[in-house]
Amino acid sequence: RRYLAVALFYVLGLLSKPMLVTLPFVLFLLDFWPLNRFQSPVQTRERGTNHTRDSMRSPSWRSLLPEPILEKIPLLVLSMITCGMTIYAQHNDGAIVSLIKVPLGMRSMNALVSYVTYVRKMFLPLDLAPFYPYPVTFHPLTVFSCLLVLIFMTVLVLFLAKGFPYLMVGWFWYLGTLVPVIGIVQVGDQSMADRYTYIPLIGIAIMVVWGLADLSSRWRFGRITLCSTSLVAMALLMWAAWAQIGFWKNSEILFR
């Protein structure tokens, strides 16, 4: 009954916003941390020793695939159906940009730069715009620098995954949930859009929140420093939000 409820509300979510096609991937990350549903090799061997005869008598999908993976398959099917329907609908409406107009290489460079730019705008919400036009070209050094940042962060979180699993979960949450709107399948003329990040940036928030909590617990004055720093950061963000709202009084002021 609970699984049917999950599937039902997932269908309703997909009908509301196809961005939710990445939910099975997010649930898989949560199985790793904080749910810790993947058993260690020792536990797996022990279970295999205790149930060898049963496995030989009645092989099943459950014995071939771990339960956290097996249970995601119906949700993945729903995701693939939604992806197909969305691409078909956008193609019929003429919203999908052809590879002739924006080549795959250009899209890939834009994706690399956008991944880093979104994070920068999360911490420094400056130069925001309702529309980010596609650049004529990308500076090779900028693209290469963004690629190095992404590789470095990915290697770092994998290296720290055992001691700080929330870093890996948060980082791959961000990378994975942004894939549908990163621009490889280009819909519209924008190079990026701030509205695309309301789900992906939850992953970065997980890294920041649990990371700061972990650091503050290891330092004598950590909690006091964390609270005071948070208050200053919130005050600055409130001021930035107040200034940004001033541009949205009406369409003329916004586009001026």
Side-chain angles (χ1 to χ4, degrees):
R1 289 194 297 268
R2 286 182 298 177
Y3 195 91
L4 289 176
V6 170
L8 171 63
F9 285 108
Y10 186 43
V11 170
L12 295 177
L14 291 172
L15 293 173
S16 303
K17 191 70 172 177
M19 179 89 173
L20 288 181
V21 294
T22 54
L23 178 66
F25 172 72
V26 169
L27 295 179
F28 186 80
L29 290 175
L30 297 180
D31 285 335
F32 177 77
W33 179 89
L35 300 180
N36 195 25
R37 297 181 63 199
F38 295 96
Q39 293 181 331
S40 66
V42 175
Q43 292 173 316
T44 303
R45 284 197 298 269
E46 290 177 353
R47 188 181 65 175
T49 303
N50 294 334
H51 300 283
T52 301
R53 293 182 180 178
D54 295 337
S55 299
M56 290 177 66
R57 289 177 183 175
S58 55
S60 63
W61 283 105
R62 192 175 295 275
S63 63
L64 297 176
L65 292 174
E67 186 176 354
I69 296 178
L70 189 64
E71 67 187 15
K72 305 297 188 300
I73 293 177
L75 301 181
L76 286 170
V77 172
L78 292 173
S79 294
M80 289 187 289
I81 293 174
T82 303
C83 288
M85 293 172 60
T86 302
I87 292 175
Y88 177 78
Q90 296 284 10
H91 180 73
N92 282 351
D93 289 341
I96 295 182
V97 179
S98 68
L99 288 172
I100 297 176
K101 184 176 181 181
V102 182
L104 184 59
M106 193 73 171
R107 300 183 188 196
S108 301
M109 290 187 288
N110 180 69
L112 292 173
V113 175
S114 296
Y115 264 118
V116 177
T117 304
Y118 283 136
V119 177
R120 194 267 297 173
K121 286 182 179 290
M122 176 181 179
F123 293 100
L124 291 174
L126 305 174
D127 301 324
L128 305 179
F131 178 76
Y132 298 95
Y134 225 94
V136 177
T137 183
F138 289 97
H139 196 286
L141 183 60
T142 301
V143 177
F144 184 68
S145 300
C146 292
L147 177 61
L148 287 182
V149 169
L150 294 175
I151 293 175
F152 172 78
M153 284 299 302
T154 302
V155 173
L156 180 64
V157 299
L158 289 174
F159 180 76
L160 299 174
K162 186 175 181 180
F164 308 94
Y166 52 82
L167 294 178
M168 189 192 77
V169 170
W171 180 246
F172 282 105
W173 178 312
Y174 171 68
L175 295 181
T177 56
L178 202 53
V179 167
V181 290
I182 200 60
I184 299 300
V185 178
Q186 182 68 28
V187 178
D189 297 324
Q190 74 284 342
S191 62
M192 54 183 288
D194 298 329
R195 66 183 181 274
Y196 290 158
T197 61
Y198 64 103
I199 289 178
L201 288 181
I202 295 174
I204 304 298
I206 289 173
M207 298 174 69
V208 172
V209 171
W210 267 267
L212 290 177
D214 208 355
L215 287 174
S216 64
S217 64
R218 299 166 186 261
W219 185 31
R220 182 179 178 184
F221 302 103
R223 295 185 182 278
I224 298 176
T225 304
L226 179 60
C227 289
S228 58
T229 304
S230 300
L231 289 174
V232 173
M234 288 188 66
L236 291 173
L237 291 173
M238 289 171 64
W239 173 81
W242 175 81
Q244 191 68 26
I245 289 172
F247 296 117
W248 288 75
K249 291 181 179 180
N250 54 58
S251 299
E252 182 181 354
I253 294 177
L254 172 63
F255 287 99
R256 280 182 180 275

